[in-house]
Amino acid sequence: MLRRLALTAVVSLAALATAVPVSTASGPVSSGSVPSAVPTTGPFAAARPSLGPLPLPVPPLPGFLDGGAGKGTGEANEVLTRLTVSVENTGVAGADGTFELECGPTGGSHPQGQAACDRLAEAGATRAGRQELFRPTPEGTMCTMIHGGDATARIVGTWEGRAVDTTASRRDGCEIARWNSLVPVLPDVR
């Protein structure tokens, strides 16, 4: 969406710069008694706006707009997501431990690296996802008193260039829902 908007703006500016008729660049053409909005006498007569081509060259597209080809600012090749996920007491074989996760390109020791990166990208595609994914349950929230197990996790690092340092557990209904929203970054222990 942002790419389309930026490309539309660039194309519109380029089309506008080339579409302005030469006659308007030097002032209105007198064709009888047609009134003009441009003052011909008085103190503003000399301050006539120039409507010629835009004086600014069209800049190259930034890295996030050039389709990820990396020809813009070079940001497309940087790893913007690098997380350390520590999980304990899940009761699931192979789920406990400390795992590294890198996205863009996928790497690290996370057992479900590509699926975890896909989940993070899905959440990052919406404003609500970016705001809520790693946010702890607000203090005073009424949650069901369902115990989902003794599993705990800590996630530390950067996600889409933003610092992350959060913990998750399965101590009540809110925390269970939060844990489940982070699967497969966190193991599925249902």
Short mmCIF file of all heavy atoms in Angstrom, two decimals, residues 135-174:
data_model
loop_
_atom_site.label_atom_id
_atom_site.label_comp_id
_atom_site.label_asym_id
_atom_site.label_seq_id
_atom_site.Cartn_x
_atom_site.Cartn_y
_atom_site.Cartn_z
N ARG A 135 3.22 -6.70 23.66
CA ARG A 135 2.78 -5.90 24.80
C ARG A 135 2.24 -6.82 25.90
O ARG A 135 1.43 -7.71 25.64
CB ARG A 135 1.69 -4.94 24.36
CG ARG A 135 1.19 -4.05 25.51
CD ARG A 135 0.15 -3.10 25.07
NE ARG A 135 0.76 -2.13 24.16
CZ ARG A 135 0.08 -1.24 23.49
NH1 ARG A 135 -1.23 -1.18 23.62
NH2 ARG A 135 0.68 -0.39 22.70
N PRO A 136 2.66 -6.62 27.14
CA PRO A 136 2.13 -7.44 28.23
C PRO A 136 0.66 -7.11 28.50
O PRO A 136 0.17 -6.06 28.12
CB PRO A 136 3.01 -7.07 29.43
CG PRO A 136 3.64 -5.77 29.09
CD PRO A 136 3.67 -5.66 27.59
N THR A 137 0.00 -8.03 29.18
CA THR A 137 -1.38 -7.80 29.57
C THR A 137 -1.43 -6.60 30.51
O THR A 137 -0.70 -6.57 31.50
CB THR A 137 -1.95 -9.05 30.27
OG1 THR A 137 -1.81 -10.17 29.40
CG2 THR A 137 -3.42 -8.86 30.62
N PRO A 138 -2.27 -5.61 30.21
CA PRO A 138 -2.33 -4.42 31.07
C PRO A 138 -2.73 -4.77 32.50
O PRO A 138 -3.55 -5.66 32.73
CB PRO A 138 -3.39 -3.54 30.40
CG PRO A 138 -3.46 -4.01 29.00
CD PRO A 138 -3.13 -5.48 29.03
N GLU A 139 -2.16 -4.06 33.44
CA GLU A 139 -2.47 -4.25 34.87
C GLU A 139 -3.96 -3.98 35.10
O GLU A 139 -4.51 -3.02 34.57
CB GLU A 139 -1.61 -3.28 35.68
CG GLU A 139 -1.46 -3.63 37.13
CD GLU A 139 -0.73 -4.94 37.37
OE1 GLU A 139 0.24 -5.23 36.65
OE2 GLU A 139 -1.17 -5.66 38.27
N GLY A 140 -4.61 -4.82 35.87
CA GLY A 140 -6.02 -4.63 36.18
C GLY A 140 -6.98 -5.26 35.19
O GLY A 140 -8.19 -5.15 35.33
N THR A 141 -6.45 -5.94 34.16
CA THR A 141 -7.32 -6.59 33.18
C THR A 141 -7.99 -7.80 33.84
O THR A 141 -7.33 -8.58 34.53
CB THR A 141 -6.49 -7.07 31.96
OG1 THR A 141 -5.85 -5.93 31.39
CG2 THR A 141 -7.38 -7.73 30.92
N MET A 142 -9.29 -7.95 33.59
CA MET A 142 -10.01 -9.10 34.14
C MET A 142 -9.79 -10.29 33.22
O MET A 142 -10.16 -10.26 32.06
CB MET A 142 -11.49 -8.77 34.28
CG MET A 142 -11.72 -7.65 35.28
SD MET A 142 -13.44 -7.38 35.68
CE MET A 142 -13.88 -8.88 36.46
N CYS A 143 -9.17 -11.32 33.76
CA CYS A 143 -8.83 -12.51 32.99
C CYS A 143 -9.46 -13.74 33.65
O CYS A 143 -9.61 -13.78 34.87
CB CYS A 143 -7.31 -12.70 32.95
SG CYS A 143 -6.44 -11.30 32.22
N THR A 144 -9.80 -14.72 32.84
CA THR A 144 -10.34 -15.96 33.40
C THR A 144 -9.25 -16.66 34.20
O THR A 144 -8.07 -16.58 33.86
CB THR A 144 -10.83 -16.90 32.27
OG1 THR A 144 -9.74 -17.19 31.41
CG2 THR A 144 -11.98 -16.29 31.51
N MET A 145 -9.62 -17.32 35.25
CA MET A 145 -8.67 -18.00 36.11
C MET A 145 -8.49 -19.44 35.65
O MET A 145 -8.78 -20.39 36.36
CB MET A 145 -9.13 -17.93 37.57
CG MET A 145 -9.17 -16.51 38.13
SD MET A 145 -7.63 -15.59 37.92
CE MET A 145 -6.50 -16.54 38.87
N ILE A 146 -8.00 -19.58 34.43
CA ILE A 146 -7.68 -20.88 33.87
C ILE A 146 -6.16 -21.02 33.91
O ILE A 146 -5.44 -20.15 33.43
CB ILE A 146 -8.16 -20.98 32.40
CG1 ILE A 146 -9.65 -20.80 32.33
CG2 ILE A 146 -7.73 -22.30 31.78
CD1 ILE A 146 -10.18 -20.68 30.92
N HIS A 147 -5.69 -22.10 34.50
CA HIS A 147 -4.25 -22.32 34.56
C HIS A 147 -3.85 -23.16 33.35
O HIS A 147 -4.31 -24.27 33.17
CB HIS A 147 -3.87 -23.04 35.86
CG HIS A 147 -2.39 -23.22 36.04
ND1 HIS A 147 -1.54 -22.17 36.26
CD2 HIS A 147 -1.63 -24.34 36.02
CE1 HIS A 147 -0.30 -22.61 36.36
NE2 HIS A 147 -0.33 -23.93 36.23
N GLY A 148 -2.98 -22.62 32.52
CA GLY A 148 -2.58 -23.30 31.29
C GLY A 148 -1.27 -24.04 31.40
O GLY A 148 -0.74 -24.51 30.40
N GLY A 149 -0.72 -24.14 32.60
CA GLY A 149 0.55 -24.85 32.78
C GLY A 149 1.62 -23.93 33.34
O GLY A 149 1.40 -22.74 33.54
N ASP A 150 2.78 -24.53 33.57
CA ASP A 150 3.88 -23.80 34.19
C ASP A 150 4.86 -23.22 33.18
O ASP A 150 5.91 -22.71 33.56
CB ASP A 150 4.64 -24.73 35.15
CG ASP A 150 3.78 -25.14 36.33
OD1 ASP A 150 2.94 -24.33 36.75
OD2 ASP A 150 3.93 -26.29 36.80
N ALA A 151 4.56 -23.29 31.91
CA ALA A 151 5.48 -22.81 30.87
C ALA A 151 5.69 -21.31 30.99
O ALA A 151 4.76 -20.55 31.23
CB ALA A 151 4.94 -23.14 29.48
N THR A 152 6.95 -20.90 30.85
CA THR A 152 7.30 -19.48 30.83
C THR A 152 8.27 -19.24 29.67
O THR A 152 8.96 -20.16 29.23
CB THR A 152 7.98 -19.04 32.15
OG1 THR A 152 9.17 -19.81 32.34
CG2 THR A 152 7.04 -19.18 33.32
N ALA A 153 8.29 -18.02 29.19
CA ALA A 153 9.18 -17.68 28.09
C ALA A 153 9.62 -16.23 28.23
O ALA A 153 8.91 -15.40 28.82
CB ALA A 153 8.48 -17.89 26.76
N ARG A 154 10.79 -15.95 27.69
CA ARG A 154 11.27 -14.58 27.62
C ARG A 154 11.78 -14.37 26.20
O ARG A 154 12.51 -15.20 25.65
CB ARG A 154 12.39 -14.33 28.61
CG ARG A 154 12.86 -12.89 28.55
CD ARG A 154 13.72 -12.51 29.70
NE ARG A 154 14.02 -11.07 29.60
CZ ARG A 154 15.04 -10.51 30.19
NH1 ARG A 154 15.85 -11.22 30.93
NH2 ARG A 154 15.26 -9.22 30.05
N ILE A 155 11.38 -13.24 25.62
CA ILE A 155 11.79 -12.89 24.26
C ILE A 155 12.52 -11.55 24.34
O ILE A 155 11.97 -10.56 24.82
CB ILE A 155 10.57 -12.78 23.31
CG1 ILE A 155 9.80 -14.10 23.32
CG2 ILE A 155 11.02 -12.42 21.90
CD1 ILE A 155 8.47 -14.03 22.59
N VAL A 156 13.76 -11.53 23.86
CA VAL A 156 14.60 -10.34 23.91
C VAL A 156 15.24 -10.15 22.54
O VAL A 156 15.62 -11.12 21.89
CB VAL A 156 15.71 -10.50 24.98
CG1 VAL A 156 16.60 -9.28 25.02
CG2 VAL A 156 15.11 -10.77 26.34
N GLY A 157 15.34 -8.90 22.10
CA GLY A 157 16.02 -8.60 20.84
C GLY A 157 15.38 -7.44 20.12
O GLY A 157 14.88 -6.50 20.75
N THR A 158 15.37 -7.51 18.78
CA THR A 158 14.74 -6.48 17.97
C THR A 158 13.77 -7.13 17.01
O THR A 158 14.02 -8.21 16.48
CB THR A 158 15.78 -5.66 17.15
OG1 THR A 158 16.54 -6.56 16.34
CG2 THR A 158 16.69 -4.88 18.05
N TRP A 159 12.65 -6.47 16.80
CA TRP A 159 11.63 -6.91 15.85
C TRP A 159 11.30 -5.73 14.96
O TRP A 159 10.89 -4.68 15.46
CB TRP A 159 10.39 -7.40 16.59
CG TRP A 159 9.25 -7.75 15.70
CD1 TRP A 159 9.27 -8.61 14.64
CD2 TRP A 159 7.90 -7.27 15.78
NE1 TRP A 159 8.03 -8.69 14.06
CE2 TRP A 159 7.17 -7.87 14.74
CE3 TRP A 159 7.26 -6.38 16.61
CZ2 TRP A 159 5.83 -7.61 14.52
CZ3 TRP A 159 5.92 -6.13 16.40
CH2 TRP A 159 5.22 -6.74 15.38
N GLU A 160 11.55 -5.88 13.67
CA GLU A 160 11.34 -4.81 12.69
C GLU A 160 12.04 -3.53 13.15
O GLU A 160 11.52 -2.43 13.02
CB GLU A 160 9.86 -4.56 12.45
CG GLU A 160 9.17 -5.73 11.79
CD GLU A 160 7.73 -5.43 11.42
OE1 GLU A 160 7.16 -4.41 11.85
OE2 GLU A 160 7.17 -6.23 10.66
N GLY A 161 13.23 -3.69 13.73
CA GLY A 161 14.01 -2.54 14.15
C GLY A 161 13.64 -1.97 15.51
O GLY A 161 14.26 -1.03 15.97
N ARG A 162 12.62 -2.53 16.18
CA ARG A 162 12.20 -2.03 17.49
C ARG A 162 12.67 -2.99 18.59
O ARG A 162 12.63 -4.20 18.41
CB ARG A 162 10.68 -1.92 17.54
CG ARG A 162 10.13 -0.81 16.66
CD ARG A 162 8.62 -0.73 16.82
NE ARG A 162 7.96 -1.86 16.19
CZ ARG A 162 7.39 -1.80 15.00
NH1 ARG A 162 7.39 -0.70 14.32
NH2 ARG A 162 6.80 -2.87 14.48
N ALA A 163 13.07 -2.43 19.72
CA ALA A 163 13.54 -3.25 20.84
C ALA A 163 12.38 -4.04 21.44
O ALA A 163 11.28 -3.54 21.59
CB ALA A 163 14.17 -2.36 21.90
N VAL A 164 12.68 -5.29 21.78
CA VAL A 164 11.70 -6.19 22.41
C VAL A 164 12.34 -6.79 23.65
O VAL A 164 13.48 -7.24 23.62
CB VAL A 164 11.29 -7.33 21.44
CG1 VAL A 164 10.43 -8.35 22.15
CG2 VAL A 164 10.60 -6.78 20.22
N ASP A 165 11.62 -6.76 24.76
CA ASP A 165 12.02 -7.45 25.99
C ASP A 165 10.74 -7.76 26.74
O ASP A 165 10.17 -6.89 27.42
CB ASP A 165 12.96 -6.58 26.83
CG ASP A 165 13.51 -7.33 28.03
OD1 ASP A 165 13.10 -8.49 28.26
OD2 ASP A 165 14.36 -6.77 28.74
N THR A 166 10.25 -8.97 26.58
CA THR A 166 8.96 -9.33 27.17
C THR A 166 9.00 -10.75 27.71
O THR A 166 9.84 -11.56 27.31
CB THR A 166 7.82 -9.18 26.14
OG1 THR A 166 6.56 -9.31 26.79
CG2 THR A 166 7.92 -10.20 25.02
N THR A 167 8.09 -11.03 28.62
CA THR A 167 7.93 -12.38 29.15
C THR A 167 6.51 -12.85 28.86
O THR A 167 5.60 -12.04 28.68
CB THR A 167 8.19 -12.43 30.67
OG1 THR A 167 7.28 -11.53 31.30
CG2 THR A 167 9.62 -12.06 30.99
N ALA A 168 6.35 -14.16 28.83
CA ALA A 168 5.03 -14.75 28.60
C ALA A 168 4.90 -15.97 29.50
O ALA A 168 5.89 -16.62 29.83
CB ALA A 168 4.86 -15.15 27.14
N SER A 169 3.67 -16.25 29.90
CA SER A 169 3.40 -17.43 30.72
C SER A 169 2.01 -17.94 30.34
O SER A 169 1.38 -17.41 29.43
CB SER A 169 3.46 -17.09 32.21
OG SER A 169 2.37 -16.27 32.56
N ARG A 170 1.56 -18.96 31.05
CA ARG A 170 0.23 -19.52 30.80
C ARG A 170 -0.55 -19.57 32.12
O ARG A 170 -1.30 -20.49 32.38
CB ARG A 170 0.37 -20.90 30.17
CG ARG A 170 1.11 -20.83 28.83
CD ARG A 170 1.23 -22.16 28.14
NE ARG A 170 -0.03 -22.80 27.84
CZ ARG A 170 -0.81 -22.52 26.79
NH1 ARG A 170 -0.44 -21.60 25.93
NH2 ARG A 170 -1.94 -23.18 26.59
N ARG A 171 -0.39 -18.51 32.95
CA ARG A 171 -0.95 -18.51 34.30
C ARG A 171 -2.44 -18.19 34.35
O ARG A 171 -3.10 -18.49 35.34
CB ARG A 171 -0.18 -17.54 35.19
CG ARG A 171 -0.42 -16.09 34.83
CD ARG A 171 0.25 -15.13 35.80
NE ARG A 171 -0.01 -13.77 35.38
CZ ARG A 171 0.92 -12.96 34.91
NH1 ARG A 171 2.16 -13.35 34.83
NH2 ARG A 171 0.60 -11.75 34.53
N ASP A 172 -3.00 -17.53 33.32
CA ASP A 172 -4.43 -17.22 33.30
C ASP A 172 -4.89 -17.11 31.84
O ASP A 172 -4.09 -17.26 30.91
CB ASP A 172 -4.75 -15.94 34.09
CG ASP A 172 -4.03 -14.71 33.58
OD1 ASP A 172 -3.80 -14.59 32.36
OD2 ASP A 172 -3.72 -13.83 34.41
N GLY A 173 -6.18 -16.85 31.65
CA GLY A 173 -6.74 -16.81 30.30
C GLY A 173 -6.11 -15.76 29.40
O GLY A 173 -5.89 -16.00 28.21
N CYS A 174 -5.78 -14.59 29.94
CA CYS A 174 -5.16 -13.54 29.13
C CYS A 174 -3.78 -13.94 28.67
O CYS A 174 -3.39 -13.74 27.52
CB CYS A 174 -5.09 -12.23 29.92
SG CYS A 174 -6.70 -11.53 30.33
#
